[in-house]
Amino acid sequence: MTHEKHGGNMITKVVVMFIFASLLLIGCNNSVSNQTEKKEPKSVETTTTIQDETKQEQDMKEEASKTIRNSEKENFQAEYRLNKDNWSFEPIQDAEPKVVLLTFDDAPDKYSIEIAKTLQKLQVPAIFFVNGHFLESDEKKSMLKEIHDMGFSIGNHTYSHVNLKELTEEEQKREIVKLNNLVEGIIGERPKYFRAPFGSNTDFSKKVAANEKMLVMNWTYGYDWEKEYQDKKALKEIMLNNPYLSNGASLLMHDRKWTREAIEDIVKDFHKKGYKILDPKLIETPE
């Protein structure tokens, strides 16, 4: 009995060990399988997390940029105000009085980019007054965006460059607002300055400009559309040695070949005369 009992115990132990080893092997396999299954999703989740963090960083940077821009607008103080008696600009407090403003109409036709690049090289600002009929192609839209991206201010010179006094009120509004909508679609902001073709404003066009929060502007003097000044030397001479030249003068020029050729010398000689070029962003505009 003792021998048989001992033999039975041995068999039982072997069976138990076999069952235990089998269960252990199955458990290990399941563990490896589970680890394998978990590794793949973990890898995907890690990639997704990295991508989300990158996008989050980009969103944070964009939000910070917007905050800075909004803060700049809130804290910004204009330094010059328009004098409507002669369309020049006067210091509001103690800003430098000896300045002139550069403006260019009929942009972007043929030479606006070259003019802008020259001004950028000289590190001086200006307003480019644009017409809508020049912005009907992707090429011209790209030109406007490039000018804006270089830091230059954009003004409204109406869509079709027609005399507003010859239009109905509805047509005048369309000429102004349609262009503002177009410009905003290209550069992301609406113009802050308005100049009527030929300087020909109406009471209604002034109201439209006010509703659009634009400053109505004309000019102190300008000559590059007149035949006798369609030459680099002649244009430079009349712009620099002019009886209407005074502190805060608003200088009218256009997208023209001779203007492009003369602009560098004009700017340099204004500096020699002690004039600074007025930054349009320092001009008080309607809120």
Side-chain angles (χ1 to χ4, degrees), residues 23 31 63 68 79 83 94 104 147 151 158 201 231 258 260 278 287:
L23 290 173
S31 176
E63 190 62 32
I68 291 170
E79 297 183 16
N83 179 345
D94 57 354
F104 300 87
I147 292 169
T158 74
N201 279 293
D231 169 82
W258 42 91
R260 178 204 68 189
L278 173 58
E287 295 296 330

Side-chain angles (χ1 to χ4, degrees), residues 46-168:
T46 302
T47 303
T48 303
T49 302
I50 291 173
Q51 290 174 345
D52 288 345
E53 288 175 354
T54 302
K55 184 177 186 304
Q56 185 179 18
E57 289 173 358
Q58 292 173 347
D59 291 343
M60 288 175 64
K61 287 179 182 178
E62 178 61 26
E63 190 62 32
S65 178
K66 287 181 181 178
T67 302
I68 291 170
R69 290 197 298 268
N70 291 334
S71 176
E72 287 174 347
K73 289 179 182 178
E74 291 173 2
N75 298 325
F76 179 79
Q77 293 293 326
E79 297 183 16
Y80 294 86
R81 180 175 293 138
L82 177 66
N83 179 345
K84 293 184 180 180
D85 291 336
N86 61 4
W87 301 105
S88 65
F89 293 91
E90 301 173 340
I92 293 176
Q93 292 183 349
D94 57 354
E96 169 60 50
K98 196 168 184 179
V99 297
V100 292
L101 176 68
L102 301 179
T103 69
F104 300 87
D105 284 7
D106 302 347
D109 190 3
K110 297 178 181 178
Y111 306 102
S112 292
I113 289 290
E114 294 175 65
I115 292 171
K117 287 181 177 178
T118 298
L119 296 177
Q120 185 183 46
K121 180 183 72 173
L122 298 171
Q123 298 183 327
V124 295
I127 302 176
F128 285 82
F129 284 93
V130 303
N131 294 121
H133 62 83
F134 287 131
L135 299 171
E136 294 176 346
S137 70
D138 290 340
E139 179 187 4
K140 292 300 179 69
K141 290 176 183 177
S142 178
M143 287 172 65
L144 175 60
K145 188 174 187 310
E146 185 176 353
I147 292 169
H148 176 261
D149 288 348
M150 281 191 272
F152 295 101
S153 298
I154 305 301
N156 182 317
H157 197 40
T158 74
Y159 197 94
S160 307
H161 200 278
V162 292
N163 191 328
L164 295 177
K165 291 182 178 179
E166 298 175 357
L167 303 180
T168 66

Side-chain angles (χ1 to χ4, degrees), residues 14-33:
V14 170
V15 171
V16 170
M17 290 179 63
F18 176 77
I19 293 171
F20 179 76
S22 298
L23 290 173
L24 184 62
L25 181 60
I26 292 170
C28 289
N29 288 337
N30 286 340
S31 176
V32 172
S33 176

Side-chain angles (χ1 to χ4, degrees), residues 118-239:
T118 298
L119 296 177
Q120 185 183 46
K121 180 183 72 173
L122 298 171
Q123 298 183 327
V124 295
I127 302 176
F128 285 82
F129 284 93
V130 303
N131 294 121
H133 62 83
F134 287 131
L135 299 171
E136 294 176 346
S137 70
D138 290 340
E139 179 187 4
K140 292 300 179 69
K141 290 176 183 177
S142 178
M143 287 172 65
L144 175 60
K145 188 174 187 310
E146 185 176 353
I147 292 169
H148 176 261
D149 288 348
M150 281 191 272
F152 295 101
S153 298
I154 305 301
N156 182 317
H157 197 40
T158 74
Y159 197 94
S160 307
H161 200 278
V162 292
N163 191 328
L164 295 177
K165 291 182 178 179
E166 298 175 357
L167 303 180
T168 66
E169 290 187 349
E170 183 180 348
E171 290 169 336
Q172 291 178 54
K173 183 176 181 179
R174 189 184 310 118
E175 282 289 323
I176 298 169
V177 177
K178 182 180 179 181
L179 177 56
N180 273 1
N181 293 340
L182 178 59
V183 169
E184 183 177 27
I186 297 169
I187 66 173
E189 61 185 61
R190 300 174 82 78
K192 295 180 180 179
Y193 319 94
F194 174 70
R195 175 179 282 156
F198 320 108
S200 184
N201 279 293
T202 67
D203 290 338
F204 184 76
S205 70
K206 292 176 183 177
K207 289 180 182 178
V208 174
N211 289 337
E212 289 287 308
K213 301 187 186 321
M214 292 190 293
L215 178 66
V216 176
M217 297 171 59
N218 271 337
W219 58 88
T220 307
Y221 64 89
Y223 297 88
D224 66 350
W225 68 90
E226 296 184 9
K227 188 173 181 179
E228 61 185 297
Y229 300 110
Q230 294 179 7
D231 169 82
K232 172 183 176 180
K233 184 177 179 180
L235 180 60
K236 171 189 166 184
E237 179 65 25
I238 193 66
M239 294 303 292

